């Protein structure tokens, strides 16, 4: 059994991102305790979990218990796949029901008694403890360093536009499409979504109505070493003409929210409806669209009229005058 610790700011979206990646590997989420997910699978799912954007870490779940006494008892008998020296690191989640003050020391002693060395400053293996409704302990296998995402934030790119999503969110949008080979962003802006997709090895296709965006997105893609891309100047409401005969496996996009500059002179809701229709026409049957809309646009209703099936919807308050939903639709 494995565990994934998701981030707390978009928890439902984070959980569904994990689900989407597990589905690609034929595995599933079998339990949840606040930000800790219990998931099935072995090393064959690692390449899929390594794609995650909204996760803190994943690892091997060794013991689950309903009390501290039970945790220690089970830990004394468990098989610990520890390499080198270890340390115990505890995560007290907001729903923690147990007094874990002494737990790291006691658990450390129990594992040490099994013949493993402790090294608090430079451990080779981190033993994680999670306190929620229940208690869990496991071996950390991968930590998602926030710095890796931070360094791809909009202001670090050669072509800078403040409209970009956080790279972790862009990454999650890509993953929620369950793309295996390719993805299209028909309103790519500075290319934030395509950068994350390209780094996962997907072939990326991008469109924008403004020439400076097409040029800028290309510069950004190259900056991050992405070479398998096709970016075009064009209109997201006419994708059938831009890609004649082409059907895409996945689409993810973040349309403009309504300032006249970014809407390129169109009425907002009309533009959204036309974009949804055009995306529907170039998506393969069974393919997924992940798209953001301001909360006052009825995304599900409009997409439903075209034949899209709703799969997920996640609310995010961006600032005082903007809240939005991220939608996942399937054709
Ligand atoms: C919010 S930005 C996308 C930001 C992008 N997701 C990122 O992270 O960098 C929306 C983009 O849609 C483009 N756009 C507006 N109307 C369009 C249309 N009809 N067809 C294609 N692109 C359009 C704008 O030029 C703008 O660059």
């Amino acid at each position: 059994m494995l565990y994934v610790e998701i981030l707390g700011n978009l928890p439902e979206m984070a959980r569904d991102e994990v689900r989407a990646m597990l589905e690609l590997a034929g595995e599933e989420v079998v339990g949840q305790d606040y930000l800790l997910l219990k998931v099935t699978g072995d090393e064959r799912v690692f390449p899929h979990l390594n794609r995650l954007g909204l996760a803190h870490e994943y690892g091997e779940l060794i013991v689950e218990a309903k009390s501290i006494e039970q945790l220690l008892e089970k830990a004394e008998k468990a098989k610990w796949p520890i390499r080198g020296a270890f340390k115990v690191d505890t995560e007290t989640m907001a729903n923690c029901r147990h007094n874990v003050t002494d737990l790291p020391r006691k658990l450390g002693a129990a594992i040490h008694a099994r013949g493993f060395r402790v090294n608090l400053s430079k451990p080779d293996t981190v033993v994680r403890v999670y306190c929620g409704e229940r208690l869990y302990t496991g071996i950390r296998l991968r930590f998602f360093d926030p710095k890796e995402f931070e360094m791809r934030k909009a202001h670090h790119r050669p072509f800078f536009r403040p409209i970009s999503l956080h790279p972790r969110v862009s990454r999650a949008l890509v993953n929620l499409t369950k793309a295996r080979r390719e993805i299209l962003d028909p309103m790519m802006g500075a290319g934030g979504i395509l950068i994350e997709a390209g780094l996962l090895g997907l072939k990326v296709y991008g469109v924008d109505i403004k020439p400076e965006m097409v040029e800028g997105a290309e510069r950004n893609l190259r900056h991050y070493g992405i070479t398998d891309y096709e970016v075009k100047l064009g209109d997201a409401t006419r994708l059938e003409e831009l890609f004649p005969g082409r059907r895409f496996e996945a689409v993810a996009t973040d349309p403009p929210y309504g300032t006249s500059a970014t809407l390129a002179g169109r009425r907002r809701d009309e533009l959204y409806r036309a974009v949804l229709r055009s995306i529907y026409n170039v998506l393969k049957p069974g393919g997924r669209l992940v798209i953001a809309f301001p909360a006052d646009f009825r995304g599900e209703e409009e997409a439903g009229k075209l034949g899209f099936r709703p799969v997920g919807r996640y609310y995010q308050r961006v600032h005082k005058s903007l809240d939005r939903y991220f939608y996942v639709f399937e054709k």
Side-chain angles (χ1 to χ4, degrees), residues 74-113:
K74 286 186 175 181
E76 278 166 21
K77 296 184 200 121
K79 251 181 96 185
W80 288 94
I82 291 175
R83 188 180 50 82
F86 77 99
K87 85 162 184 180
V88 178
D89 194 16
T90 307
E91 187 66 39
T92 310
M93 298 190 289
N95 66 338
C96 174
R97 279 170 165 262
H98 312 265
N99 179 358
V100 291
T101 327
D102 274 345
L103 185 57
R105 196 182 48 76
K106 286 184 180 159
L107 180 63
I111 298 172
H112 178 65

Side-chain angles (χ1 to χ4, degrees), residues 25-26 31 44 47 51 150 182 202-203 240 276 311 315 323:
R44 279 169 295 188
R51 290 176 52 161
E150 295 295 320
E182 60 175 19
L202 302 175
K203 162 120 198 202
E240 307 86 327
L276 279 170
V311 174
Y315 175 78
D323 47 356

Side-chain angles (χ1 to χ4, degrees), residues 100-214:
V100 291
T101 327
D102 274 345
L103 185 57
R105 196 182 48 76
K106 286 184 180 159
L107 180 63
I111 298 172
H112 178 65
R114 304 282 303 278
F116 297 104
R117 265 184 311 119
V118 177
N119 186 332
L120 298 181
S121 55
K122 269 195 161 184
D124 305 294
T125 301
V126 175
V127 172
R128 284 287 265 166
V129 175
Y130 288 91
C131 177
E133 294 286 321
R134 295 166 69 94
L135 292 151
Y136 311 81
T137 174
I139 303 279
R140 174 187 280 169
L141 295 173
R142 166 85 200 261
F143 170 67
F144 295 94
D145 191 340
K147 277 188 244 135
E148 278 178 34
F149 289 99
E150 295 295 320
M151 73 189 195
R152 292 198 297 278
K153 279 174 90 165
H155 57 279
H156 294 305
R157 303 176 193 154
F159 176 75
F160 167 63
R161 282 292 179 281
I163 48 174
S164 263
L165 298 167
H166 192 284
R168 280 190 183 270
V169 174
S170 293
R171 176 66 68 91
L173 302 188
V174 172
N175 285 334
L176 284 164
T177 68
K178 297 210 280 183
R180 287 177 188 271
R181 285 177 298 277
E182 60 175 19
I183 196 160
L184 164 70
D185 181 347
M187 306 178 105
M188 68 181 160
I193 293 174
L194 297 184
I195 292 168
E196 295 306 312
L199 291 171
L200 297 175
L202 302 175
K203 162 120 198 202
V204 301
Y205 296 85
V207 174
D208 204 283
I209 204 156
K210 292 194 183 161
E212 72 265 28
M213 289 296 181
V214 178

